[in-house]
């Protein structure tokens, strides 16, 4: 008896593996088409997002970001940094100047990045072969820019609950704002993430002590 695509799972999603025809077409298209929006990605950031309506529930997020201008960034969010990663959401980041122009109801959909930066949670994974000391300097400079930005994030695919497809409505995500949030589950995910990327969040926290903490405007989405 034949197996249907709905009964198969490939790369964490319901569906059959790519057929030879699809692979050939994919390879050909990649050689001649222009992927300018994707090619403009200039940073890979990794942190954890928290569900705005379920503060105890967190998920790892790999951000691939581009700059639209000095005040606006946009990031595609994947569950892993692998080539077969699932696209699980998007995040927009804006400067404090733009955030101040938003009305109160809109501000509630945005979160600050202060805790993510200062705690060492937010990292910029190092390229293979890059000396760690040199990369730490570049990463810290990036954190100096990110610490004052506000993010608006929606996830479409709840991979943390085992969904094999992006089901239901998009979900608003927030950021962690202080130690102890996320419980033991986050602690374990955080420890495993650091081990996998070969980094020390505690070490990064120390290196970021000199990053000035900006004023966090009232009204942003958070978990406090």
């Amino acid at each position: 008896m034949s197996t249907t695509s709905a009964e198969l799972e490939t790369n964490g999603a319901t569906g059959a593996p790519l057929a030879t025809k699809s692979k050939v077409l994919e390879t050909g298209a990649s050689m001649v088409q222009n992927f300018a929006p994707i090619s403009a990605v200039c940073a890979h950031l990794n942190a954890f997002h928290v569900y705005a309506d379920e503060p105890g529930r967190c998920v790892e997020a790999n951000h691939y970001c581009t700059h639209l201008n000095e005040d606006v960034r946009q990031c595609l969010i994947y569950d892993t940094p692998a080539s077969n990663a699932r696209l699980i959401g998007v995040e927009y980041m804006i400067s404090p100047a733009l955030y101040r122009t938003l009305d109160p109801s809109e501000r509630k959909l945005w979160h600050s990045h202060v805790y993510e930066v200062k705690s060492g949670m937010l990292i910029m994974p190092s390229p293979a072969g890059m000396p760690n000391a040199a990369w730490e300097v570049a990463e810290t400079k990036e954190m100096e820019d990110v610490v004052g930005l506000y993010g608006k994030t929606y996830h479409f695919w709840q991979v943390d609950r085992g969904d094999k497809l992006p089901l239901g409505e998009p979900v608003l995500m927030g950021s962690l704002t202080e130690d102890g949030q996320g419980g033991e589950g986050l602690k374990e995910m955080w420890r495993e993430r650091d081990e996998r990327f070969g980094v020390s969040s505690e070490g990064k926290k120390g290196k970021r002590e000199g990053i000035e903490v900006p004023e966090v405007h009232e009204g942003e989405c958070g978990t406090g």
Side-chain angles (χ1 to χ4, degrees), residues 20 28 102 104 126 129 167 172 179 182 185 196 211:
T20 300
L102 304 177
S126 173
L167 305 174
L172 179 68
D179 291 337
R196 180 167 15 98
I211 296 179

Side-chain angles (χ1 to χ4, degrees), residues 6-96:
E7 296 173 306
L8 297 174
E9 179 183 327
T10 306
N11 296 327
T14 299
L18 281 179
T20 300
K21 176 183 177 182
S22 295
K23 291 180 180 179
V24 171
L25 291 173
E26 185 180 81
T27 301
S30 67
M31 294 174 64
V32 298
Q33 285 194 294
N34 183 335
F35 299 110
I38 304 300
S39 300
V41 169
C42 61
H44 169 206
L45 303 173
N46 178 287
F48 297 93
H49 288 164
V50 59
Y51 287 81
D53 60 349
E54 295 184 65
R57 197 175 153 207
C58 305
V59 63
E60 185 175 343
N62 289 276
H63 310 58
Y64 291 86
C65 305
T66 63
H67 293 198
L68 286 182
N69 53 49
E70 278 299 309
D71 292 279
V72 181
R73 303 183 185 194
Q74 55 187 16
C75 307
L76 297 171
I77 300 172
Y78 293 86
D79 62 331
T80 77
S83 61
N84 63 351
R86 292 169 289 185
L87 178 65
I88 62 174
V90 297
E91 178 167 0
Y92 301 96
M93 299 182 187
I94 60 174
S95 66

Side-chain angles (χ1 to χ4, degrees), residues 125-148:
S126 173
M130 173 69 71
N132 186 62
W135 188 252
E136 286 280 2
V137 173
E139 181 185 67
T140 301
K141 288 294 183 183
E142 175 72 3
M143 295 302 124
E144 290 174 356
D145 290 338
V146 174
V147 71

Side-chain angles (χ1 to χ4, degrees), residues 56-196:
R57 197 175 153 207
C58 305
V59 63
E60 185 175 343
N62 289 276
H63 310 58
Y64 291 86
C65 305
T66 63
H67 293 198
L68 286 182
N69 53 49
E70 278 299 309
D71 292 279
V72 181
R73 303 183 185 194
Q74 55 187 16
C75 307
L76 297 171
I77 300 172
Y78 293 86
D79 62 331
T80 77
S83 61
N84 63 351
R86 292 169 289 185
L87 178 65
I88 62 174
V90 297
E91 178 167 0
Y92 301 96
M93 299 182 187
I94 60 174
S95 66
L98 292 185
Y99 180 80
R100 288 193 292 269
T101 68
L102 304 177
D103 62 46
S105 61
E106 176 63 27
R107 288 187 182 191
K108 293 179 180 179
L109 304 177
W110 298 76
H111 60 266
S112 82
H113 291 91
V114 172
Y115 178 78
E116 292 181 15
V117 170
K118 296 292 286 183
S119 68
M121 173 186 287
L122 183 64
I123 65 171
M124 191 163 69
S126 173
M130 173 69 71
N132 186 62
W135 188 252
E136 286 280 2
V137 173
E139 181 185 67
T140 301
K141 288 294 183 183
E142 175 72 3
M143 295 302 124
E144 290 174 356
D145 290 338
V146 174
V147 71
L149 300 179
Y150 288 85
K152 182 178 185 178
T153 307
Y154 281 94
H155 281 199
F156 314 118
W157 197 332
Q158 299 186 48
V159 295
D160 60 303
R161 69 180 185 187
D163 289 3
K164 303 304 179 185
L165 291 172
L167 305 174
E169 297 181 355
V171 180
L172 179 68
M173 308 298 285
S175 66
L176 297 159
T177 58
E178 60 185 27
D179 291 337
Q181 294 175 326
E184 292 301 317
L186 174 62
K187 283 185 180 180
E188 178 58 24
M189 285 194 293
W190 196 340
R191 183 202 61 75
E192 190 278 329
R193 188 283 307 267
D194 279 10
E195 184 177 293
R196 180 167 15 98

